[in-house]
Amino acid sequence: MEDQYLDAFIRESEEAITELNNSLLALESDPEDEQAMESIFRKAHTLKGNFGAMGFEDASDLAHAIEDLLDEMREGEMEVTPERMDMIFAGVDQIEVIVGEIEADGESSTDTSEMVAEIRGVLEDGSEAAEDDGTEEADDEQAAGSDADDAAEVSDDPDGDGSVEVDTAMFADASVDADEAYQIRVEIGDSNMKGVDGMLAVEAVADTFGLLAAEPARAEIEDGEYEAGFDLLVDAPDVDVLRGSLERVSKIDAYAVEVVDGFADGEDDGDDGGATAASTDSSVDEIKSVRVDVDRLDELHGQVEQLVTSRIKLRRAVDDGDTDAASENLNELDKISANLQNTVMDMRLIPLKKVVGKFPRLVRDLARELDKEVNFEIEGEDIELDRTILTEISDPLMHILRNSVDHGIEPPEERERTGKPREGTVELRATRERDHVIIEVEDDGAGLAVEDIRQQALEHGVRSEEELDRMEDGEIYDLAFHPGLSTKEEVTDTSGRGVGMDVVHDTVTQLDGSVSVDSEPGEGTTVSLRLPVTMAIVKVLFVQVGDEQYGVPIKNIDEISQKNGTKVINGEEVVEHDGDIYPIVDIAEAFDVPDAKENGDGMLVRIRESERQVALKCDAVTQQEEVVVKPLEGILSGTPGLSGTAVLGDGNIVHILDVVTL
């Protein structure tokens, strides 16, 4: 199996699973939501077909069973209950596991037979209950079905009894590769989901026989763009088998079949053919998935053309020894490379919904597990972030949501006693502020208790009693990010072990962002993440320490000065600025750099108070430059004081300092 097809299959399956989960949540909330039901059917059908086409039959069988159960709900044969929705969600979870296994190993080892049997068992129980409930209704329906069969008889004389007629001239100009074919006229009864019913009817034929042509085109049928019915041209070996396939589709009100002879071998014009329509749909979907990136690719192509032209001009100027022209071309190259950089960085931006699209299901499952009622809302999911940042914040956001549902939202009875609605609200909001994105998770739960956090901080030795007395409430709330702290008295499987929130802080800090907490006891809690839109390009100040060079992000620096006027307080060297005391961090000592200048010499780089109230000591300040920062990986990941590395123009590697953890 070629990697390109497998990768496309995996990406499409992941998107379908996310959309399927969210549509199922909408259906669970409102069983009459026809739009959600139609979306569910389309996604389940897509998964079933894709699994089958790629040869993963077990997964296809599971998707088929889920589709059949949903069909019973759609037809009103079964109610939408929490228990049945749990079963469907469990099936979707198993499909997601299978997709993960296929991505990792190229195949799946998950056995779906037990889940399929469980779903089929529910279907059989439902059918038996329906039979016991109304024998007379069943007899009436059977009689009506016999009448429909009579009307749907294969038509040798379409005008003879007023049954459904076949317009044999419709495909007269079709060029198909078949000696004999059948033309089918399909009419759909009253339907609120014409697209889904049309899709099921077409699939009943296409899955078994060769679909040669369709009128209107297959894509239009599956979008519900037809009147009472549509026509299909198929290559089938046996008319009885063909009729059997059609009769299994409950929404077909009537049909007629006519043998069409005399087709000569030829090329399909691609106008109405089933296979051609399907491949065309696939191509369109892939183009849509690129979204506005198609325009960016055109822009990128234009900039590369400019780059090539400028390079030729520069080489010519150098060969001719024309330094003025060479200097002018270098300036032009600088502008082109800057535009190229911006275009490439824009291409790396991905909508936040790529990550948060899975969160409604997470909140739903947590709420059911904890016997809580939670309304989850998302705002700003179309805001874009760099791909790397988006990947890294997925787990931190999950930790925050878990804490909001477990720690924040109270049980329904407790909320009622305090005058709140039984259903709590958790809202995830994203907003753009220039080159940063603010993500807030707010709940209307119990809020954080300052005294509980103070007590925990004292017990764990995080702060002294004197330090805590001097701290504002907001600063005490931020202690919740310290490793090991948890104000949850009862440890649960969901949260409360003091793990998670410290991971949030560390991850966001490594991404050059910040995180804070605001809370009002009895009213709720808001956790705010401030993240850069992109993290690859950073303007840094280079400082010399012995024979080593380090980079300090310019945005973190408030002032650069000679090292003078320092004093020692409690054995620690500090410098005073506007009445505030800034401890001095010696970079040479922090990284054990030899041959650095003695304490009396050197420069001080004072860091902005909003980042950290310290001053960095170095030997000298050299230059400013924009660099591409590569985050540390492997065993170096998370090294205190370092955020990444940058490669300079001369090939040397420079460490970029993390002023918060230094």
Side-chain angles (χ1 to χ4, degrees):
M1 190 179 300
E2 294 188 29
D3 289 344
Q4 67 185 70
Y5 298 123
L6 187 61
D7 186 63
F9 159 75
I10 291 167
R11 298 287 86 78
E12 184 175 351
S13 298
E14 289 174 341
E15 291 178 5
I17 289 168
T18 298
E19 293 178 25
L20 180 58
N21 268 318
N22 290 337
S23 295
L24 286 168
L25 290 171
L27 181 68
E28 184 178 42
S29 175
D30 179 10
E32 304 299 321
D33 190 336
E34 294 175 356
Q35 186 176 355
M37 181 63 84
E38 181 166 354
S39 175
I40 289 166
F41 255 87
R42 289 188 181 278
K43 296 308 173 186
H45 205 72
T46 296
L47 287 168
K48 180 188 74 173
N50 287 357
F51 279 124
M54 297 296 286
F56 302 113
E57 295 300 333
D58 286 352
S60 181
D61 290 344
L62 176 55
H64 195 173
I66 292 173
E67 184 184 39
D68 288 347
L69 180 56
L70 289 165
D71 193 35
E72 291 293 299
M73 294 179 179
R74 180 172 75 116
E75 294 292 335
E77 300 295 332
M78 286 187 176
E79 292 184 11
V80 177
T81 65
E83 292 73 25
R84 287 173 182 150
M85 293 304 295
D86 283 343
M87 178 179 292
I88 293 173
F89 278 125
V92 175
D93 287 345
Q94 196 168 79
I95 289 175
E96 188 170 18
V97 169
I98 291 170
V99 172
E101 291 176 341
I102 294 170
E103 182 175 23
D105 307 321
E107 59 183 5
S108 172
S109 59
T110 297
D111 182 6
T112 63
S113 58
E114 185 176 342
M115 179 63 69
V116 171
E118 187 176 352
I119 295 174
R120 294 291 178 197
V122 170
L123 285 167
E124 290 173 8
D125 291 343
S127 299
E128 291 172 3
E131 288 175 8
D132 294 340
D133 218 19
T135 306
E136 290 183 6
E137 276 188 31
D139 290 339
D140 291 340
E141 288 174 4
Q142 186 176 4
S146 298
D147 293 339
D149 285 344
D150 292 339
E153 186 176 357
V154 176
S155 177
D156 293 321
D157 180 15
D159 296 323
D161 58 4
S163 64
V164 179
E165 296 186 6
V166 177
D167 180 5
T168 55
M170 181 172 294
F171 297 116
D173 297 330
S175 178
V176 298
D177 187 10
D179 294 329
E180 181 177 272
Y182 292 97
Q183 182 174 338
I184 311 168
R185 173 63 184 177
V186 175
E187 293 192 355
I188 302 295
D190 294 335
S191 173
N192 294 321
M193 290 187 284
K194 291 177 65 178
V196 169
D197 292 324
M199 176 183 70
L200 293 174
V202 173
E203 285 291 335
V205 174
D207 283 351
T208 308
F209 313 106
L211 181 59
L212 304 175
E215 179 58 41
R218 182 173 179 176
E220 294 176 19
I221 295 173
E222 294 184 352
D223 285 339
E225 297 174 7
Y226 59 89
E227 296 300 327
F230 47 85
D231 292 84
L232 306 174
L233 187 64
V234 302
D235 178 12
D238 188 303
V239 69
D240 291 331
V241 177
L242 177 59
R243 290 185 60 190
S245 295
L246 292 168
E247 287 165 3
R248 284 194 293 270
V249 183
S250 61
K251 280 296 182 178
I252 291 182
D253 191 43
Y255 69 88
V257 180
E258 183 78 31
V259 177
V260 184
D261 296 311
F263 282 110
D265 292 351
E267 294 296 327
D268 190 349
D269 62 5
D271 222 1
D272 299 307
T276 304
S279 61
T280 301
D281 289 345
S282 179
S283 297
V284 170
D285 286 341
E286 287 184 15
I287 293 172
K288 285 181 179 178
S289 69
V290 179
R291 299 181 180 90
V292 295
D293 290 351
V294 170
D295 296 331
R296 289 175 181 167
L297 283 172
D298 290 339
E299 183 181 351
L300 182 64
H301 182 266
Q303 290 167 346
V304 170
E305 287 182 337
Q306 296 174 30
L307 190 66
V308 171
T309 302
S310 184
R311 184 191 67 190
I312 294 171
K313 289 161 62 178
L314 177 60
R315 184 178 295 280
R316 184 177 301 153
V318 172
D319 290 342
D320 294 342
D322 189 344
T323 56
D324 291 339
S327 178
E328 183 178 335
N329 286 323
L330 278 173
N331 290 334
E332 182 181 328
L333 271 174
D334 188 49
K335 293 178 182 178
I336 295 172
S337 62
N339 291 334
L340 194 61
Q341 169 186 311
N342 291 334
T343 301
V344 172
M345 297 312 298
D346 284 344
M347 292 173 65
R348 287 176 56 88
L349 299 180
I350 298 176
L352 187 64
K353 62 184 174 185
K354 186 72 174 178
V355 166
V356 304
K358 298 182 178 181
F359 290 165
R361 172 69 193 283
L362 169 73
V363 172
R364 180 260 185 197
D365 289 348
L366 283 175
R368 279 185 60 78
E369 178 186 338
L370 299 169
D371 293 326
K372 296 182 179 182
E373 298 177 14
V374 181
N375 173 42
F376 180 50
E377 300 174 0
I378 299 176
E379 183 181 323
E381 63 180 3
D382 291 328
I383 287 177
E384 296 179 319
L385 279 166
D386 184 272
R387 181 177 61 86
T388 302
I389 295 175
L390 203 58
T391 301
E392 293 294 329
I393 66 168
S394 177
D395 285 346
L397 286 175
M398 198 178 301
H399 284 306
I400 295 170
L401 285 172
R402 285 180 179 275
N403 282 327
S404 291
V405 177
D406 190 19
H407 289 221
I409 302 298
E410 312 95 326
E413 297 76 14
E414 182 179 332
R415 291 178 64 87
E416 284 185 325
R417 285 197 299 270
T418 57
K420 291 183 176 181
R422 288 178 58 87
E423 184 180 68
T425 297
V426 177
E427 184 177 5
L428 189 152
R429 296 186 301 269
T431 54
R432 177 78 180 262
E433 291 185 4
R434 299 184 64 183
D435 58 349
H436 281 77
V437 169
I438 311 300
I439 301 176
E440 296 178 314
V441 177
E442 180 180 1
D443 67 66
D444 65 348
L448 296 176
V450 173
E451 287 305 316
D452 288 346
I453 299 176
R454 283 172 54 90
Q455 186 62 34
Q456 288 275 328
L458 278 174
E459 291 177 2
H460 288 79
V462 175
R463 294 287 188 275
S464 66
E465 190 167 357
E466 294 75 16
E467 289 174 318
L468 289 169
D469 289 340
R470 293 195 299 267
M471 295 173 69
E472 301 288 338
D473 285 355
E475 295 175 301
I476 292 178
Y477 289 141
D478 287 339
L479 292 178
F481 295 112
H482 194 280
L485 282 192
S486 175
T487 58
K488 188 78 170 178
E489 292 181 5
E490 180 184 353
V491 173
T492 69
D493 290 336
T494 306
S495 53
R497 293 187 177 88
V499 298
M501 294 307 284
D502 59 315
V503 175
V504 172
H505 179 271
D506 292 346
T507 302
V508 172
T509 300
Q510 289 171 14
L511 293 172
D512 202 18
S514 60
V515 59
S516 62
V517 179
D518 185 30
S519 185
E520 185 70 31
E523 299 294 328
T525 302
T526 302
V527 180
S528 301
L529 279 63
R530 180 179 173 85
L531 297 158
V533 173
T534 180
M535 59 179 292
I537 309 297
V538 178
K539 193 170 186 178
V540 301
L541 173 73
F542 290 111
V543 298
Q544 194 72 34
V545 181
D547 294 331
E548 301 291 335
Q549 200 173 31
Y550 296 90
V552 184
I554 292 289
K555 61 185 177 182
N556 294 337
I557 299 174
D558 201 16
E559 182 185 60
I560 302 168
S561 63
Q562 292 287 338
K563 183 177 179 294
N564 50 44
T566 63
K567 58 181 73 173
V568 177
I569 298 179
N570 296 330
E572 185 176 9
E573 190 175 21
V574 301
V575 63
E576 186 176 352
H577 176 77
D578 290 343
D580 293 324
I581 300 299
Y582 287 76
I584 294 176
V585 176
D586 191 336
I587 299 176
E589 290 184 6
F591 296 109
D592 195 20
V593 179
D595 302 325
K597 290 186 178 180
E598 297 298 327
N599 288 338
D601 302 316
M603 305 283 290
L604 291 180
V605 179
R606 188 165 55 79
I607 302 303
R608 292 183 186 275
E609 187 177 348
S610 59
E611 298 295 330
R612 185 184 176 192
Q613 194 167 317
V614 296
L616 307 182
K617 176 185 176 297
C618 59
D619 294 345
V621 172
T622 55
Q623 61 182 347
Q624 298 180 24
E625 191 174 329
E626 282 190 338
V627 297
V628 178
V629 178
K630 299 282 188 180
L632 296 174
E633 297 179 350
I635 60 173
L636 294 178
S637 178
T639 302
L642 298 179
S643 63
T645 60
V647 180
L648 305 184
D650 58 6
N652 288 326
I653 297 177
V654 173
H655 286 98
I656 308 301
L657 299 181
D658 177 4
V659 298
V660 176
T661 61
L662 181 62

